[in-house]
Amino acid sequence: SVQTSMHRYLCNLLQDHAQADDVLQEVLLQICRKLTTLRDADLFRPWCYRIATRRAWRAMKRRRMVLDDETIHNLAAEEDNTAADSVLLDRLHTELTHLSPASRAVLCLHYLESMPLQDVAAALAIPIGTVKSRLAYGLKVLRQRMTDTDES
């Protein structure tokens, strides 16, 4: 369901389950209140994620988190990971915390929520070029961090 995947997205973005629960409640209320303003039903999912992202960023600002501008796909998309993959997936979630919230949002939506880049752009209300840039930057940082920690 959209609610379940949105909760997972908020947990990944905020890195705090309790805060994700609170933000999700705010998001669902806003969706209910503003549903009549949605003109194209095909845009429902990106529209919901745009609301969720904006609410999450507000919550991060309240927590005084800085909003900077800034392999993994198959691993993140698999539901039935092996034990080794599960450890690597846990490590991936840990490494995501080292990315800026802007890059983390793009990576989570695209890889963990399987959202096409065009929908990511719509959800975050940013140009597709910015999505691609944040995706490339985020992947570069993740690869570097995961390689650096492997060598240590």
Side-chain angles (χ1 to χ4, degrees), residues 91 95 143-152:
R91 188 165 153 214
E95 294 299 336
R143 282 187 194 109
Q144 267 180 332
R145 288 196 55 81
M146 292 181 89
T147 302
D148 290 347
T149 51
D150 283 343
E151 292 171 357
S152 322

Side-chain angles (χ1 to χ4, degrees), residues 74-76 78 80-92:
N74 291 334
L75 174 64
E78 289 178 21
D80 53 353
N81 294 319
T82 65
D85 284 348
S86 183
V87 169
L88 196 51
L89 187 57
D90 287 344
R91 188 165 153 214
L92 170 62

Side-chain angles (χ1 to χ4, degrees), residues 50-65:
R50 180 180 309 146
I51 292 170
T53 301
R54 287 180 179 163
R55 287 287 177 168
W57 285 347
R58 279 190 204 127
M60 284 186 248
K61 285 180 184 179
R62 283 193 304 261
R63 260 186 12 204
R64 292 185 179 10
M65 290 182 70

